[in-house]
Amino acid sequence: MQFTLTPHAPIAAGHEEIQFRLKAAVPVLLDFREGGVTSVSVNKNGTDVQLANGHLELPADLLQPGLNTVNIEFSAPVAPASKAITRFEDKDDNSEYLYTLFVPMDASMAFPCFDQPDIKGRFRLELTAPENWTAISNTAAVRNTTAGPGLKLTSFAETRPISTYLFAFAAGPFRKIESAGLPSLYVRSSKLQKAQEEAVEVQQITAQGIRYLANYFAQPFPFPKYDMVMIPGFAYGGMEHAGATFLREESILFRTAPTHSDHLNRDILLLHELTHQWFGDLTTMRWFDDLWLKEGFAQYMAYQALADLKPDENIWKRFYQAIKPAAYGIDATPGTTPIYQDILNLKDAKSAYGAIVYSKAPGVIKQLAYVLGDEKFRDGLRLYLKEHAYANAEWNDLVHSFERVSGKSLEDWASVWIRRRGMPQVDVDWSCGAQGRIDHFLLKQRDVLNEGGIWPIAMQVLLHYQDGNDLRLRAQLESAQSSLQEAVGKPCPQYVFANDQDYAYGRFLLDPASQKVVMEQMGSISDVFRRTLLWGSLWDAVREAQLAPREYIDLSLRLLPAEKDEALAQNLIGRTTAALHRYVTPELRRQFVPKAEAQASDLMLHSPEQDLRIIWFRALRGIAETEPGRAQLKDLLSGKLSVPGVTLRPLDRWTLVEALMALNDPEAEAIYAAEKKRDNTGDGQKYAYMAEAARPQSATKQEYFKDYLHNSSRPEDWVEQSLGAFNYWNQSELTYPYLQPALDALPQMKRERKIFFVLGWLGAFIGGQQSAAAQKEVHDFLQTASLDKDLQLKILEISDELNRTVRIKEKYK
């Protein structure tokens, strides 16, 4: 493969030679779309092959059994958005960067190929580019030669067998950060100094991860080298190209003042992408219906690795916080899908991406590890990777590996958890007799979607006693209900929780007696993991309209000042803010907000830990709406007020501006203009675009929506960054007219944008609404619009929160 990369050009010229073997001389289709073809030769015979319907058809009469060689001259589009080869223009130094992103089906936008994961190939790449550019690809550059005035030809070593979506290159004036014995890190020139401050931490956790995973999998790192390339405005947190992971620059170089949790989340991202070098790149799913085989395991193993590398960090608590709410959130909706999805055509592969594979799959994998035991689980993974190295596999191959090492039959377990959609709700029915002993203890499960599902569930049940001598009982539930005989006869506990340590997957609400005690004792529960799980159960009760939002807000505001766990405090603040903005009446919100503002301000200034001061700064920014609250936001911007020990970063400042704009503060426009003048960097221009979207004016909304739909030069990350501001929580009436047009635009968004964009689009426009009228409009659209199944499910998924909002408001009005 040869590409010529020309600055600012709308296309990249290319040449490729493809070799493949055939069992018989039959017509062969190559995938290629949106590009142009100049010439094609098959086995040295020129042919007039026409590009049609995204394919080049090679005629049978030019092909032969055995080895065939095809040469193609072609061109591929290059653009700031919506193309497989993306251009980024750095506004800070006017430099240009090009990079590829092919997952799941966009390699065929860049070059003719067999674009499916189960046809692996060895790639040999040559790039011609300006001489001051650095080129990075899956393998190391083996030679650089002059290719003409001001041009350089970079040749790369041949790859090991990889799928098309794992092939990649990036080029531009990148700077390489090297440290002895550590993976290399590439960054654009204008961010070199900032990257050098973060590089060692990033490189060290990656190097530690390589050693840990190679040992855990009993499989050495599977590729000749491992580089990390920071890509500005990258569509995802990262992409695991074999030997060259691309990382979203903003995920590595923090744009806001970071907390300890932010650093750990970055570790998880790095380890997730690293794990893919084994799970996904070495052994690849045969088809995208098994996407979870790479994403679910990469996510689970990232936490497994970090738990070993940083044993004092309570990583499995963080797993629950980061993974389970998103999984339960979608699995409780009629828009959910099984982990295994039927993907009939590669064009449908985008539909497989979402919380099911990234959150439910790792949650179910944790349950599997609990069922098998850590050693058998590890040995099953080792066998699977060994037997499918540099090849492809299906989910039943993995299940069979687990069965062989454990001696357990997992066919029924896997069929239920992998092929059935939805989840169970597990309830506990217990009581105590006159002697102060448990006289009955039932575990019950029901399908939250009321589709009749029954799941095999292994869990650890907690019985809490006042003296602290708690009991933990392992329980197995494989029917609609089962008595936990080990609990009968035990002393009567103060409360019961059925998913201690979060081994099981499902919704676990507290029974009424336990909920009452937990709410009374929450402030004295010392174990932070347990506290986190119980707070999560209370929030689930709010969302199920079984606990009044007012009670949750009151309890949260009362206990938050004493909460020292930064990650849990941040969770509680986020949920309390959501309840204030969505679930309670405006009158009740106005009662709570002054107290919440004062609390956030006080803790922002006086919390003993810097991390806590940062999250309380974020809390104030999110909660403030009164005149005194807005005054504090303005004082933070002007410097009259500061967060002790914390320097606000550009995005911190711009989100303050965004809030003032959205709240229609009298000084907001002047503050916006001043900040725009103060920060004219490339990032500053993007953040200004974000903040202006919050302006509560019809003309602004109209201008932005037109830009979203019709400005093909607008970078996708700019649009993503602005959607929440456009649909700010207090502007539902103003943005309601755009709900229907946003729904109408869904096919265009799916066709033109990257994998996760549609969910973000829906989350902003449907999530920005709270009324029964909006709920009806979404419902009517689903009934009348002609949509593919994937888009229907995504609307059902995202509209669930709107449905809950309307239901909760109605019940507790």
Side-chain angles (χ1 to χ4, degrees):
M1 189 113 54
Q2 299 169 333
F3 282 97
T4 298
L5 306 179
T6 304
H8 310 297
I11 62 169
H15 169 83
E16 69 177 352
E17 179 177 288
I18 308 174
Q19 292 186 340
F20 56 89
R21 297 183 186 278
L22 287 178
K23 293 180 179 178
V26 295
V28 170
L29 290 178
L30 287 172
D31 302 306
F32 191 45
R33 55 197 171 92
E34 297 197 11
V37 174
T38 305
S39 68
V40 179
S41 73
V42 180
N43 295 323
K44 299 183 179 181
N45 297 302
T47 180
D48 183 21
V49 176
Q50 298 298 312
L51 184 61
N53 300 318
H55 298 100
L56 287 170
E57 183 173 341
L58 307 179
D61 60 354
L62 296 181
L63 296 167
Q64 59 195 19
L67 183 65
N68 291 266
T69 301
V70 178
N71 280 271
I72 305 173
E73 301 283 344
F74 64 92
S75 62
V78 180
S82 305
K83 302 301 177 186
I85 304 177
T86 301
R87 173 188 297 111
F88 174 81
E89 296 180 358
D90 192 333
K91 305 296 185 183
D92 295 330
D93 61 6
N94 296 316
S95 58
E96 180 180 0
Y97 297 82
L98 300 181
Y99 64 90
T100 60
L101 182 56
F102 296 155
V103 65
M105 57 169 290
D106 287 353
S108 58
M109 290 174 68
F111 56 94
C113 59
F114 300 108
D115 200 5
Q116 58 189 76
D118 61 337
I119 301 184
K120 290 191 170 186
R122 299 177 183 269
F123 292 77
R124 201 164 59 244
L125 173 68
E126 293 183 344
L127 288 179
T128 299
E131 61 185 356
N132 66 326
W133 283 18
T134 297
I136 309 111
S137 188
N138 304 87
T139 53
V142 292
R143 130 181 111 257
N144 286 292
T145 56
T146 300
L151 296 177
K152 176 176 63 177
L153 174 66
T154 303
S155 301
F156 295 89
E158 185 176 88
T159 70
R160 292 176 183 172
I162 58 174
S163 304
T164 46
Y165 80 89
L166 296 170
F167 172 70
F169 62 81
F174 284 102
R175 302 293 295 275
K176 184 178 183 180
I177 302 175
E178 295 182 280
S179 299
L182 300 178
S184 295
L185 187 66
Y186 290 86
V187 65
R188 56 179 162 138
S189 297
S190 63
K191 294 293 183 182
L192 177 61
Q193 182 177 350
K194 177 61 180 171
Q196 287 173 327
E197 299 170 7
E198 304 285 348
V200 172
E201 184 177 336
V202 169
Q203 292 168 308
Q204 285 181 341
I205 194 69
T206 303
Q208 292 166 11
I210 290 173
R211 290 192 292 271
Y212 173 82
L213 292 168
N215 178 68
Y216 187 92
F217 294 140
Q219 182 77 244
F221 186 79
F223 300 100
K225 58 93 176 174
Y226 189 63
D227 293 331
M228 293 173 285
V229 187
M230 285 186 276
I231 305 290
F234 198 56
Y236 321 133
M239 178 56 207
E240 69 276 9
H241 310 114
T245 284
F246 290 1
L247 298 163
R248 187 170 190 150
E249 185 184 270
E250 294 86 339
S251 299
I252 306 301
L253 308 181
F254 298 115
R255 300 301 201 258
T256 62
T259 65
H260 184 60
S261 285
D262 293 328
H263 282 87
L264 290 174
N265 290 339
R266 182 173 69 183
D267 290 344
I268 291 295
L269 170 64
L270 295 168
L271 293 170
H272 173 107
E273 303 304 338
L274 176 63
T275 301
H276 274 311
Q277 300 296 307
W278 288 267
F279 259 92
D281 297 5
L282 172 68
T283 301
T284 309
M285 73 268 161
R286 193 177 306 281
W287 189 242
F288 281 95
D289 44 20
D290 269 328
L291 180 68
W292 73 281
L293 280 180
K294 73 184 189 79
E295 297 301 344
F297 274 90
Q299 193 74 320
Y300 177 82
M301 286 305 305
Y303 284 90
Q304 173 73 34
L306 195 58
D308 184 87
L309 298 175
K310 296 186 175 181
D312 298 329
E313 291 291 355
N314 214 335
I315 293 301
W316 294 112
K317 174 190 79 80
R318 294 178 181 275
F319 177 91
Y320 164 77
Q321 290 174 291
I323 297 295
K324 292 300 187 67
Y328 297 159
I330 182 174
D331 243 357
T333 78
T336 193
T337 66
I339 289 177
Y340 178 93
Q341 299 183 46
D342 290 319
I343 306 298
L344 300 180
N345 191 290
L346 194 59
K347 69 180 178 61
D348 302 318
K350 287 184 179 181
S351 65
Y353 288 79
I356 290 298
V357 296
Y358 285 92
S359 297
K360 179 176 183 176
V364 169
I365 291 166
K366 185 181 181 186
Q367 166 81 149
L368 178 60
Y370 184 62
V371 169
L372 293 177
D374 291 341
E375 186 175 321
K376 298 299 184 185
F377 179 79
R378 180 204 62 197
D379 291 348
L381 296 184
R382 288 178 172 181
L383 179 61
Y384 169 79
L385 291 173
K386 179 181 178 181
E387 292 189 341
H388 301 281
Y390 303 106
N392 298 80
E394 298 175 343
W395 70 277
N396 54 0
D397 296 316
L398 180 62
V399 170
H400 292 158
S401 294
F402 285 131
E403 288 179 327
R404 286 159 61 189
V405 301
S406 69
K408 293 183 178 181
S409 173
L410 294 172
E411 184 176 348
D412 292 341
W413 186 95
S415 178
V416 170
W417 282 109
I418 305 305
R419 288 191 172 273
R420 177 183 294 155
R421 75 175 196 156
M423 67 177 180
Q425 176 172 310
V426 177
D427 298 309
V428 183
D429 180 1
W430 63 283
S431 64
C432 297
Q435 304 302 314
R437 301 264 170 185
I438 296 174
D439 57 13
H440 90 279
F441 199 105
L442 284 178
L443 294 169
K444 303 178 180 180
Q445 66 164 300
R446 68 173 182 84
D447 184 340
V448 299
L449 298 177
N450 297 315
E451 294 176 345
I454 296 293
W455 286 261
I457 311 167
M459 68 198 90
Q460 183 168 279
V461 177
L462 170 72
L463 309 181
H464 171 70
Y465 296 95
Q466 188 171 7
D467 62 6
N469 292 319
D470 296 341
L471 286 178
R472 291 174 173 83
L473 305 174
R474 183 169 179 138
Q476 191 79 24
L477 182 59
E478 297 185 353
S479 56
Q481 69 176 45
S482 178
S483 175
L484 183 58
Q485 286 300 314
E486 294 90 333
V488 176
K490 296 291 192 295
C492 193
Q494 288 190 303
Y495 64 82
V496 169
F497 183 57
N499 194 24
D500 184 54
Q501 296 297 305
D502 188 42
Y503 293 120
Y505 181 90
R507 183 194 293 151
F508 292 84
L509 299 182
L510 293 160
D511 64 88
S514 294
Q515 179 178 295
K516 182 175 184 295
V517 174
V518 165
M519 293 184 73
E520 291 170 352
Q521 297 187 4
M522 186 71 85
S524 61
I525 297 174
S526 59
D527 183 277
V528 67
F529 195 178
R530 184 189 305 180
R531 204 161 64 242
T532 300
L533 290 168
L534 294 174
W535 272 116
S537 184
L538 293 179
W539 180 245
D540 286 342
V542 172
R543 297 185 74 250
E544 288 300 299
Q546 294 183 20
L547 175 64
R550 177 175 190 160
E551 292 185 55
Y552 183 93
I553 294 169
D554 186 65
L555 182 67
S556 177
L557 292 179
R558 181 160 53 85
L559 297 182
L560 261 169
E563 182 54 67
K564 302 307 178 189
D565 184 82
E566 166 250 318
L568 177 53
Q570 189 156 298
N571 272 172
L572 293 177
I573 290 167
R575 288 167 173 170
T576 301
T577 303
L580 285 170
H581 290 169
R582 296 191 66 85
Y583 296 159
V584 300
T585 63
E587 294 76 19
L588 194 55
R589 191 183 77 247
R590 284 192 286 270
Q591 292 178 33
F592 275 119
V593 163
K595 176 183 177 181
E597 288 178 343
Q599 181 172 289
S601 175
D602 178 64
L603 292 166
M604 174 185 76
L605 298 174
H606 301 117
S607 290
E609 300 292 333
Q610 178 172 300
D611 286 344
L612 291 171
R613 294 195 293 275
I614 291 172
I615 65 165
W616 282 109
F617 156 74
R618 296 174 182 174
L620 179 64
R621 180 188 64 206
I623 290 172
E625 59 176 288
T626 69
E627 185 175 347
R630 297 197 312 273
Q632 289 205 305
L633 302 188
K634 289 183 279 191
D635 287 346
L636 285 163
L637 280 167
S638 69
K640 292 180 182 178
L641 187 66
S642 62
V643 184
V646 177
T647 300
L648 297 187
R649 300 192 181 187
L651 186 52
D652 291 314
R653 296 183 58 85
W654 276 111
T655 50
L656 292 173
V657 176
E658 174 194 347
L660 292 168
M661 289 280 281
L663 296 167
N664 205 23
D665 185 87
E667 300 175 61
E669 290 292 345
I671 290 170
Y672 169 80
E675 194 66 21
K676 194 172 181 180
K677 183 177 180 181
R678 179 182 181 275
D679 182 7
N680 61 2
T681 64
D683 283 344
Q685 294 175 46
K686 175 170 65 174
Y687 301 148
Y689 180 83
M690 168 198 76
E692 189 177 6
R695 182 184 287 131
Q697 295 178 4
S698 297
T700 297
K701 303 302 183 185
Q702 186 175 4
E703 177 186 345
Y704 267 74
F705 197 80
K706 181 180 179 182
D707 193 62
Y708 293 159
L709 263 56
H710 304 300
N711 186 354
S712 60
S713 66
R714 181 70 66 192
E716 190 167 297
D717 63 311
W718 284 45
V719 177
E720 286 180 322
Q721 192 92 38
S722 71
L723 287 175
F726 184 101
N727 293 281
Y728 212 79
W729 68 268
N730 67 335
Q731 297 181 13
S732 294
E733 292 184 11
L734 184 62
T735 58
Y736 176 68
Y738 295 94
L739 177 58
Q740 181 73 44
L743 294 171
D744 291 336
L746 284 173
Q748 175 189 344
M749 296 298 132
K750 182 177 180 180
R751 183 174 62 252
E752 296 179 357
R753 300 293 186 175
K754 298 298 182 183
I755 290 169
F756 301 111
F757 187 87
V758 166
L759 284 171
W761 179 265
L762 285 170
F765 284 96
I766 296 179
Q769 298 302 312
Q770 303 180 16
S771 68
Q775 180 188 36
K776 182 178 184 304
E777 188 159 306
V778 174
H779 177 79
D780 290 347
F781 179 80
L782 274 170
Q783 297 300 311
T784 59
S786 178
L787 297 171
D788 63 44
K789 183 181 179 182
D790 171 50
L791 288 177
Q792 292 177 33
L793 289 172
K794 282 180 166 55
I795 295 173
L796 287 170
E797 171 191 341
I798 298 300
S799 62
D800 179 75
E801 177 60 26
L802 175 57
N803 296 335
R804 290 178 188 276
T805 298
V806 172
R807 184 166 67 250
I808 291 168
K809 281 187 169 183
E810 177 62 26
K811 180 172 181 177
Y812 296 106
K813 63 183 178 181

